Structure formats: structure tokens, C-alpha cells
Amino acid sequence: MAQTGTIYLVGAGPGDPDLLTIRAARLIERAGIIVHDGLVDPAILALAPPDAELISVAKQRSKHTMQQEDINALLVSIARSGEDVVRLKGGDPFVFGRGGEEAEAARAAGIPVEVVPGISAANGAAAAAQIALTHRDASSIVSFVAGQCKGLKDQDWAGLAGKGRTLVIYMGVKTAPQIAEKLMEDGLAPDMPVAVIENGTRPEMRVLRGLLAGLPELVENEKVVSPALIVIGEVTARDDITLAMTAQEVAR
């Protein structure tokens, strides 16, 4: 009987191959089978051996190549055949990556599973944009939410954003109007600074800034596409403040 393989849930980071962990890079470089998301940068997949089998299970809004239950079954099936499998995910497997579901499926099937954390999209994109998610003068609390969850309008986001807080919204491009409306209905000021980070850490990265009330127009007018993060809070304007202060000092 074939020995059971191991499922490796590996975080590929926010995009830039240089931001892979050493453990992630080593697993990719020796992988025989890689099951990967659509957001994994091609340069990262290029690190795999030439004869590695690459299986895409890319997900898009309302259009999945493979349902999550089928992905779970695929991973278990590969491991039961005696093969190790690298499940490669953008960002970190346990931050909106459904890694928890896949780990549970592996454990339920008696399959060894290892989780290799990655730099999350929020941490990587914010760092690339030089937006500090926490700052002693602006924010001591950070919250992550998914912007395309079912029942968005009925969720309780009260207290997640505002003075002294930073809110990072994943997968919020398509629902930007509902997000802005909901936050303002929950009491957030329309003039709260926001930033939209598109393709964080990649060469084509864009950082767009505005105010909460104008978020829908910002996303529409600039034709923002995924992957993109929405960051809401005073920290998104800190570097602008610093640049302005520096310009004033130079003028003196």
C-alpha cells in the first residue's frame, strides 16, 4: 500500500517572489505537484521544477474553477496516492485563504498537513505603499474584513474603523459602493482618509488615495481591478503629512 503523502499549505505572499519565506521557496523548488490559486504570481510558479504538475484552482467572484469542497477532495486524493502536494496560496493560508478548511479536511482524512505562513496581502501591500497599519499617533488597532461576504449590509462593522483604528478590506473592489455606504451608515465620517492598493508589491502596483465618501468613484474612475486592498483610516494619510512637512522644512 502506498505511503500517504503530505499536504503543504504554503503562503506565496503578496506577489513579489523575493517576499517568499525560505521554507516556501524550498518546497516550491522541489515540488512534484502544486495546486495553486490564480493570484499566485507566475514568477513564483516558475520556481517549480520543469516537470512539476501545476494545477490551477483559480477563483474569481461568482466564478470558481473548482468548488472548495472539490479542492479539499483533490488534495486528499493526491496525498492518499502517496504524493506530497504543495497547496500554494496568495498571501497567508490562514488570512482569507481558506487554509483552515483545507487543514480540517486533511486532518479529518488522516492526512499529514503542514502550514507554511506567508506575508499577508495586507502586510505586504501596506509596506510596499509605505502605509503603517499601526502608528502611535494614529492607530493602535487593525481589523481585517472580507468585502464580498454574503449579507454585507447586515454585518456589524461598528467600531472597526474610526479614530485610532485601521480597517483593511480584502476583496472589496466590486462592493466598494456598499462598503462606503455601510461604514458611513455605521457612523464613520465621510472625510475619513482611504487608500486603495492595487497589485501590491508588484511592478504594476498603484496606490490611490481619497476620502471614504468618494471611494466608489475612486475605484470606478481609476478602473481598479483585483487584486486590490482598501485601507481605511488616518494612517493612509500619514506619508502625505510627512512629505508635506519635509517640503516645508526644505523651503525654510
Side-chain angles (χ1 to χ4, degrees):
M1 188 173 181
Q3 183 177 358
T4 301
T6 298
I7 297 173
Y8 296 94
L9 304 178
V10 179
D16 185 345
D18 286 343
L19 296 179
L20 285 169
T21 65
I22 293 174
R23 177 62 171 161
R26 286 175 176 167
L27 285 169
I28 295 168
E29 288 168 353
R30 70 179 192 222
I33 302 175
I34 296 177
V35 177
H36 64 90
D37 288 343
L39 293 180
V40 176
D41 195 280
I44 292 175
L45 295 175
L47 298 175
D51 59 347
E53 182 180 0
L54 305 181
I55 303 172
S56 173
V57 290
K59 294 186 178 71
Q60 296 178 354
R61 182 175 170 85
S62 302
K63 182 181 179 181
H64 293 180
T65 300
M66 189 178 292
Q67 296 297 319
Q68 186 61 50
E69 294 77 9
D70 296 328
I71 296 174
N72 297 348
L74 173 64
L75 298 174
V76 169
S77 176
I78 293 172
R80 279 181 171 162
S81 73
E83 299 280 354
D84 291 339
V85 54
V86 171
R87 173 67 173 105
L88 198 55
K89 299 170 171 291
D92 181 273
F94 281 1
V95 181
F96 298 121
R98 299 191 178 181
E101 298 174 44
E102 293 168 0
E104 290 170 359
R107 290 194 296 266
I111 304 295
V113 59
E114 177 184 328
V115 181
V116 180
I119 294 176
S120 71
N123 286 340
Q130 297 193 21
I131 295 173
L133 295 180
T134 65
H135 192 292
R136 285 194 302 169
D137 295 331
S139 175
S140 60
I141 297 173
V142 181
S143 300
F144 300 153
V145 301
Q148 66 176 32
C149 290
K150 294 180 180 179
L152 174 64
K153 191 172 180 63
D154 297 327
Q155 292 186 53
D156 183 9
W157 285 9
L160 294 184
K163 188 171 180 59
R165 299 170 181 265
T166 303
L167 178 61
V168 181
I169 302 173
Y170 284 66
M171 302 168 284
V173 171
K174 297 296 185 183
T175 55
Q178 295 94 315
I179 288 169
E181 179 183 2
K182 176 174 179 54
L183 288 171
M184 288 187 289
E185 284 180 352
D186 287 349
L188 197 59
D191 62 353
M192 175 62 69
V194 303
V196 180
I197 309 173
E198 180 187 72
N199 288 307
T201 79
R202 304 184 188 196
E204 62 272 29
M205 182 179 80
R206 291 196 298 165
V207 183
L208 308 169
R209 287 181 169 80
L211 301 177
L212 179 60
L215 176 61
E217 290 75 19
L218 178 65
V219 168
E220 181 179 0
N221 294 341
E222 293 293 336
K223 296 180 172 55
V224 177
V225 297
S226 295
L229 290 175
I230 299 171
V231 186
I232 299 174
E234 295 173 352
V235 294
T236 64
R238 291 295 304 180
D239 59 341
D240 287 346
I241 294 172
T242 302
L243 289 171
M245 291 175 63
T246 302
Q248 290 174 3
E249 291 171 358
V250 170
R252 292 173 189 162

